[in-house]
């Protein structure tokens, strides 16, 4: 789980910098550990960092996002 608050947004920005255009990232959090509200907050960090949501894979017991760095 990314850290809360601004530190979490910084962590997500670092992930974005590590990926090449077209690179994908699967992000998944256990439902019993992360609330829906917190997961939406984390999803907003990814959007703010420039990730594009490609899908929401079904992973049992988890909330998941498949994200992509948009191609140039």
């Amino acid at each position: 789980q990314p850290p809360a608050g601004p530190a979490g947004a910084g962590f997500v920005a670092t992930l974005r910098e590590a990926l090449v255009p077209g690179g994908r990232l699967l992000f998944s959090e256990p439902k019993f550990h992360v609330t829906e509200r917190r997961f939406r907050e984390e999803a907003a960090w990814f959007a703010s960092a420039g990730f594009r949501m490609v899908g929401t894979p079904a992973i049992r017991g988890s909330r998941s996002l498949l994200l992509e760095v948009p191609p140039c």
Side-chain angles (χ1 to χ4, degrees):
Q1 173 179 346
F11 172 75
V12 169
T14 300
L15 289 174
R16 165 60 185 87
E17 292 172 10
L19 292 171
V20 298
R24 289 188 171 189
L25 172 74
L26 175 62
F27 179 71
S28 186
E29 292 271 32
K31 287 182 178 178
F32 66 86
H33 185 67
V34 176
T35 64
E36 179 66 30
R37 179 179 177 198
R38 168 67 184 205
F39 191 74
R40 284 193 311 266
E41 181 180 304
E42 293 170 348
W45 295 341
F46 284 103
S48 294
F51 282 92
R52 180 175 60 133
M53 188 174 69
V54 177
T56 54
I59 300 175
R60 185 174 46 178
S62 298
R63 294 175 171 77
S64 303
L65 297 172
L66 180 58
L67 303 149
E68 180 179 70
V69 175
C72 294

